[in-house]
Amino acid sequence: MNNLDIIKQIQEKYKEIETDVLIDYIYTLIKKEFLRYNDDEIYFNSNVEDILSGRKKCNNQLDYAIDQAIFIVLQPLRCDLDPKDIEQTLLNWSGYILNRNTDSGCYPKDIIHYFEGDADFDTEKILSMSENEIRKVMECDRLVDVDEKECCTKILCKRVIDLLTRKEDISDEEFNSSLAIINYRFIRIHPFEDGNGRVSRMLLNYIWNLKNGCVPIGLDNDEINGMIEIYKNIDGLVYSAFMGSYLSDLKYDIDYCLEAEALLTMDIASFLAKKQQKAKKKLGLVSSKIIK
């Protein structure tokens, strides 16, 4: 399926939105994703339509950056993606991003360990530290051990399917909170060699796209950095409560740390809800349910 076919799908799905408004909004999301990694707005404006339509083949780094931004925005909005295939979908997304960045592999084959020494985390040392000392240590991202990434990712995929199964039976608040926890866990599992942040944003919009009344959102650098700071605060709370065992527990389908997560993922859930409201206002939506 090419990009223009996906846009036609989106137009058919979001019938309440005027076509020009919807197209402008999609372009805004693509530009926001492109500008996260490149600052050549003029090049983007003069080339995005040709690359989007396939009239121009990608022949330099900026072309590939536009192509990738298009992919990141449009793929989660495809109506033919099956939630039951979420694990394979994640692999395909990451594989595409890796092909644009590097020739090396991704989950579940050649996962690299970003945080040197993470597997040897000193539990006894953390027990002797104060909460402030723990928070200071957690200024660095903590990631799931390399040997546990695959099983943790499979468990997370089950959680995604469960949320989508219940999406019409739970409140928007519970949905946003569950989505925030999924996003946080995905980042901490860090299943892929590269592009985890980008795939996490795709996953976020993919889940939203399958819930009635939700529209895709775009995040700029300041907003993403704000989310990272909240995640670091969650890390501090989680580690002070669970002495560093939490990441290993993600390989079990049990919410050992849900209370600790929920206290601070409320901030993420609230932020996501506000982004949704702004997006709907921009698109001229007044109804809570936009998909018939």
Side-chain angles (χ1 to χ4, degrees):
M1 177 175 294
N2 63 40
N3 293 322
L4 297 182
D5 287 338
I6 297 174
I7 289 178
K8 287 179 182 178
Q9 274 193 352
I10 299 168
Q11 288 174 304
E12 182 66 23
K13 183 172 185 177
Y14 297 102
K15 289 181 178 179
E16 289 188 25
I17 305 172
E18 293 182 15
T19 299
D20 291 345
V21 174
L22 181 60
I23 296 299
D24 286 345
Y25 184 68
I26 291 172
Y27 273 53
T28 298
L29 297 181
I30 295 172
K31 180 183 285 189
K32 189 172 287 191
E33 190 62 42
F34 172 82
L35 292 177
R36 279 190 42 72
Y37 301 97
N38 305 272
D39 57 5
D40 198 333
E41 189 168 345
I42 294 175
Y43 190 90
F44 177 88
N45 291 336
S46 60
N47 287 277
V48 62
E49 289 190 20
D50 286 339
I51 293 175
L52 181 68
S53 64
R55 291 193 298 267
K56 178 182 179 181
K57 292 184 178 180
C58 301
N59 55 23
N60 60 49
Q61 192 61 38
L62 285 174
D63 287 348
Y64 279 119
I66 294 173
D67 186 46
Q68 188 175 88
I70 291 169
F71 182 88
I72 289 170
V73 170
L74 292 187
Q75 285 297 308
L77 305 180
R78 286 177 56 179
C79 299
D80 59 339
L81 292 177
D82 190 341
K84 293 180 181 178
D85 295 328
I86 184 62
E87 188 175 346
Q88 186 59 48
T89 298
L90 291 178
L91 284 170
N92 292 342
W93 286 344
S94 182
Y96 179 91
I97 289 171
L98 281 169
N99 289 337
R100 291 293 181 262
N101 295 340
T102 175
D103 293 329
S104 51
C106 63
Y107 159 85
K109 295 181 180 178
D110 302 317
I111 309 166
I112 64 169
H113 199 6
Y114 267 46
F115 196 87
E116 187 176 357
D118 190 48
D120 299 319
F121 188 72
D122 190 342
T123 303
E124 290 186 5
K125 182 177 179 180
I126 204 76
L127 284 169
S128 67
M129 295 169 66
S130 68
E131 182 174 348
N132 287 337
E133 288 174 325
I134 292 169
R135 289 180 180 274
K136 187 174 182 180
V137 170
M138 294 311 146
E139 284 300 308
C140 297
D141 290 346
R142 307 302 305 182
L143 306 176
V144 164
D145 181 58
V146 61
D147 295 329
E148 297 178 343
K149 288 180 184 286
E150 183 174 352
C151 59
C152 290
T153 303
K154 290 179 183 292
I155 292 296
L156 190 69
C157 289
K158 290 181 181 179
R159 179 173 288 271
V160 171
I161 294 172
D162 177 68
L163 176 61
L164 292 173
T165 301
R166 300 182 299 115
K167 65 184 188 298
E168 300 308 322
D169 301 323
I170 60 178
S171 67
D172 290 344
E173 291 76 12
E174 184 179 349
F175 180 83
N176 285 338
S177 179
S178 297
L179 183 52
I181 290 173
I182 286 171
N183 190 259
Y184 169 69
R185 291 186 180 186
F186 181 90
I187 292 298
R188 288 299 173 259
I189 293 170
H190 228 70
F192 305 117
E193 180 176 339
D194 194 11
N196 289 278
R198 283 165 283 182
V199 175
S200 75
R201 294 192 291 279
M202 295 168 76
L203 179 60
L204 185 151
N205 276 325
Y206 170 67
I207 295 172
W208 251 333
N209 183 48
L210 296 175
K211 178 170 170 62
N212 291 353
C214 291
V215 295
I217 64 168
L219 303 172
D220 59 31
N221 279 329
D222 288 341
E223 290 170 330
I224 290 175
N225 289 336
M227 290 179 69
I228 290 172
E229 286 303 310
I230 295 174
Y231 288 161
K232 287 179 178 178
N233 289 334
I234 299 172
D235 287 341
L237 184 64
V238 165
Y239 275 85
S240 64
F242 289 84
M243 287 73 74
S245 65
Y246 172 58
L247 293 180
S248 294
D249 289 340
L250 288 182
K251 65 179 178 288
Y252 305 111
D253 195 12
I254 302 173
D255 283 320
Y256 285 103
C257 227
L258 194 58
E259 281 188 33
E261 285 180 317
L263 288 173
L264 285 166
T265 48
M266 286 190 299
D267 294 338
I268 295 289
S270 175
F271 165 75
L272 295 177
K274 289 177 182 177
K275 288 290 293 184
Q276 268 288 306
Q277 291 172 358
K278 288 181 181 179
K280 288 184 179 182
K281 186 175 181 181
K282 188 169 185 177
L283 291 169
L285 296 171
V286 292
S287 62
S288 61
K289 302 292 183 185
I290 61 174
I291 305 169
K292 303 302 186 213

